[in-house]
Structure formats: C-alpha cells, structure tokens
Amino acid sequence: LSRGEKLDGRSEEAALGPEDVFQNRCSLSRISVICYTQHVKTAVKIWWYHYDLSRHAAEALLLSNGTDGSYLLRNSNEGPGCFALSVRAKDSVKHFQVTRNNNSYVFGFNEFPSLQDFVYHFANQPLLGSDTGTLIVLKCPYPWRVEEPSIYESVRVHTAIQTGRTENDLVANAPSLGTKEGFLVKQGAIVKNWKQRWFTLNRYELKYFKDKMCEEPIRTLDLRSCSAVQFDYSQDRVNCFCLVFPDRTFYLCAKTGVEADEWIKILRWKLVSLCKCHTRFLLSIKIITIKNVPRTFDSVLWRVEGTLIFTTLITLEGGFSL
C-alpha cells in the first residue's frame, strides 16, 4: 500500500517472501487487498481506502457528506508506508497517522500484525482520543465509491463574457478548509481575566464559543485581517500565544506546549495561504498607468470588480502605476 504503487503490490512479493505476501488489486467497483498468509489466501476488503485523496479533499468530503464519526483511510505525504486516517469530529476533521512497519500496521498505541487485524479493529467501532481531549467513536467508514446518478444538465447558453484573455488570466481560488478545534484559555478585552473557550477553525474563520455545546459563537475572527501569530511571553502564563489584529491582540493559552505549537503552525499556515491567494489575485490585474497626476499622491483606493484595494503607488514617467 505504499504511495505511488497504485494498489499493485506484486513488486513486493519477492521481498516479503511466501509467508506474508500482499497483493493489492483495484477495481472500478471496490478496493480489495488480497492477503496471503502461510499459503492460505484470504480477502481483506478496504473499501474505505481513498488512495491519493488529498487532505483538503478529505475534509471537504467528510464535512459536506459525512456524519460525526465518519472516517476514511488515504495516503499521507510523509512518504512510502505512511497513511492518514481522516475522521470527522462534529464540525472539524482530525487526521491521524497510520504507518506500516514491515508487515504490521501501527496506529496509536496499537500494532496490528496483519492488515486483516487492522481492518477487524475498525469493525468494532473503536474509541479515539485526540490531543485536544476530544473523544471520537469511529462509527462508519466513508466508501471510496458512492452510487451516483448518470444525469446531466443540458447546456442552453454558452458564450464568452470577455475576450482576449488567455489561460494566464485564470486565477485559482479554493481556500483550504484546514479545520481544527479544541479548548483554549482566552484573556478578556477589558477585564484582563482568563476564561476557557471552545475554539473552531475552518477556512479563514476562527470562532470561539462559551462552551463546546453552544451553537452560536461569541465572536468570529476573520484571519484575513490578522497580521501575525506567535508565541507570547509577556503574560504570566505558560503555553501562551497571540493573534495580532488591527484593533486588538488576542492572547490565548493551550494546555500543553505541543498543543500551542499545533495551533500556531496551522494558523501561520492559514496566513501564508491567504497571502498566496492575494498575491495571485494581484498578479492577475493588468498594470494600469495614470499620467499627469500630482506626485503628492502616495496611495490610492482602487475599485476592481467590486473589490476595494488599498495599494502603494510607484512614481513612473511623470505618473504612477498600480
């Protein structure tokens, strides 16, 4: 089941020997793994193995069409022999590592001697606990192949709105879900006391709730306005980090340093992703040169396709350019 093998393990037969040979087959209707143990062939069907499904696609799939406790197995980008178990936990998706060690499979604190034992473990709906303290019952696997109708809409109108554009003018826009949730202790804005809140991260929104069961958030922070995420040592607390916004800096504390580091990493990754999307958008805008404008102007507010953009102007040939 290593990455890039396309579920064909025949190349490994010589290395594994006759005692434990894995031959993997992929069909249009299901994914099955044929396990040969002591020359006795038994079939192990892993119809919830999604091969090269990305983390982003797994989150979108489980959040839109799964339920609490839905899970799937996919390849990990860590390399050969590494897999990821993606599990939906309420409004977020958590990812756990599964590794193959020779002929056994390691997941959490358990090591399963065979692929069949690994699959049987999930058939018994195990209870899974994450670093954030969330307990998840692995209820139902999400199948690789789902029945779908062969029905298509008829095209009645098909015309170009603009002309002269090429593939270089196409701007990709798919913000990563990058979900995460857990309890954090937050400092108040006016009264500088500390209270525990339940935080959820999805796309570019960081929401916090009074407790885990509340449906309406106390506040939603738009990460598009956040300028920095970093560890903070100014407070008389450990495992503290802060999010810097134009109108306020939010101070948050995690239970452990590992958990604080996880929050910082994914929030920083979000900011970098948002910056990349913004850069791609600006690169898609044609250079506009305006002549005969006084040099005293050093900034201007542009409206491009209904979006307000504040930018610095560069003086060029008696005018300036965006």
Side-chain angles (χ1 to χ4, degrees):
L1 286 174
S2 61
R3 188 178 181 85
E5 292 183 16
K6 297 183 179 179
L7 293 178
D8 189 353
R10 288 174 292 182
S11 61
E12 297 186 53
E13 292 184 10
L16 294 176
E19 291 295 318
D20 197 0
V21 178
F22 291 91
Q23 181 182 4
N24 310 312
R25 298 176 182 176
C26 178
S27 65
L28 290 177
S29 59
R30 68 186 184 278
I31 295 179
S32 61
V33 178
I34 310 300
C35 175
Y36 294 87
T37 304
Q38 295 179 349
H39 305 286
V40 178
K41 183 173 74 172
T42 57
V44 181
K45 296 179 181 179
I46 310 183
W47 38 269
W48 39 278
Y49 171 56
H50 288 243
Y51 186 51
D52 264 341
L53 189 73
S54 67
R55 181 187 179 112
H56 172 81
E59 291 181 349
L61 197 64
L62 292 172
L63 285 174
S64 63
N65 209 28
T67 57
D68 190 25
S70 296
Y71 61 91
L72 58 85
L73 186 68
R74 58 185 178 84
N75 284 346
S76 169
N77 56 7
E78 296 295 325
C82 296
F83 308 93
L85 185 76
S86 300
V87 185
R88 175 169 174 176
K90 199 176 177 182
D91 295 326
S92 71
V93 177
K94 299 183 182 297
H95 307 272
F96 304 91
Q97 280 192 329
V98 179
T99 56
R100 186 175 63 178
N101 183 16
N102 293 326
N103 301 330
S104 61
Y105 292 82
V106 180
F107 175 63
F109 301 111
N110 298 330
E111 184 170 353
F112 303 93
S114 69
L115 185 65
Q116 191 167 22
D117 293 323
F118 177 72
V119 174
Y120 284 171
H121 174 70
F122 284 90
N124 291 298
Q125 294 192 346
L127 179 68
L128 193 63
S130 67
D131 293 333
T132 61
T134 303
L135 294 177
I136 314 164
V137 178
L138 302 184
K139 297 177 183 177
C140 50
Y142 195 98
W144 171 72
R145 187 172 181 83
V146 180
E147 236 181 279
E148 54 188 25
S150 298
I151 301 172
Y152 302 93
E153 295 287 334
S154 299
V155 177
R156 299 301 182 190
V157 177
H158 186 196
T159 185
I161 302 298
Q162 299 184 24
T163 59
R165 292 165 63 91
T166 66
E167 66 275 8
N168 296 326
D169 296 309
L170 296 175
V171 180
N173 182 21
S176 176
L177 299 172
T179 60
K180 186 173 176 59
E181 62 180 11
F183 282 108
L184 293 170
V185 180
K186 186 186 75 69
Q187 188 187 61
I190 301 174
V191 181
K192 302 299 181 180
N193 56 348
W194 296 83
K195 292 184 179 180
Q196 181 175 264
R197 297 291 184 236
W198 177 256
F199 282 78
T200 63
L201 175 64
N202 194 335
R203 293 184 174 87
Y204 49 79
E205 291 183 339
L206 180 65
K207 299 179 181 180
Y208 59 90
F209 304 76
K210 185 176 181 179
D211 56 54
K212 190 176 180 179
M213 304 307 295
C214 290
E215 295 184 358
E216 292 297 324
I218 297 174
R219 185 168 178 176
T220 300
L221 304 179
D222 190 340
L223 294 179
R224 291 173 295 185
S225 302
C226 182
S227 59
V229 179
Q230 59 197 21
F231 272 108
D232 183 82
Y233 304 99
S234 64
Q235 307 298 316
D236 188 22
R237 282 178 173 262
V238 295
N239 310 321
C240 189
F241 61 97
C242 64
L243 286 77
V244 182
F245 286 83
D247 57 340
R248 179 183 168 187
T249 298
F250 290 83
Y251 295 95
L252 309 172
C253 291
K255 288 183 179 180
T256 64
V258 173
E259 189 178 344
D261 188 56
E262 288 179 356
W263 275 104
I264 291 172
K265 283 181 178 178
I266 192 168
L267 287 168
R268 282 179 174 174
W269 182 84
K270 288 278 191 180
L271 297 188
V272 171
S273 300
L274 288 169
C275 183
K276 286 180 179 178
C277 291
H278 182 65
T279 302
R280 285 196 297 267
F281 172 74
L282 289 180
L283 290 176
S284 68
I285 302 174
K286 301 292 184 181
I287 298 298
I288 306 170
T289 301
I290 305 176
K291 301 291 185 179
N292 302 322
V293 177
R295 290 175 179 267
T296 54
F297 280 65
D298 55 10
S299 61
V300 71
L301 194 62
W302 293 95
R303 182 176 291 274
V304 180
E305 296 182 355
T307 302
L308 291 175
I309 301 175
F310 192 73
T311 182
T312 301
L313 300 175
I314 304 172
T315 303
L316 288 174
E317 300 176 358
F320 47 79
S321 296
L322 170 61

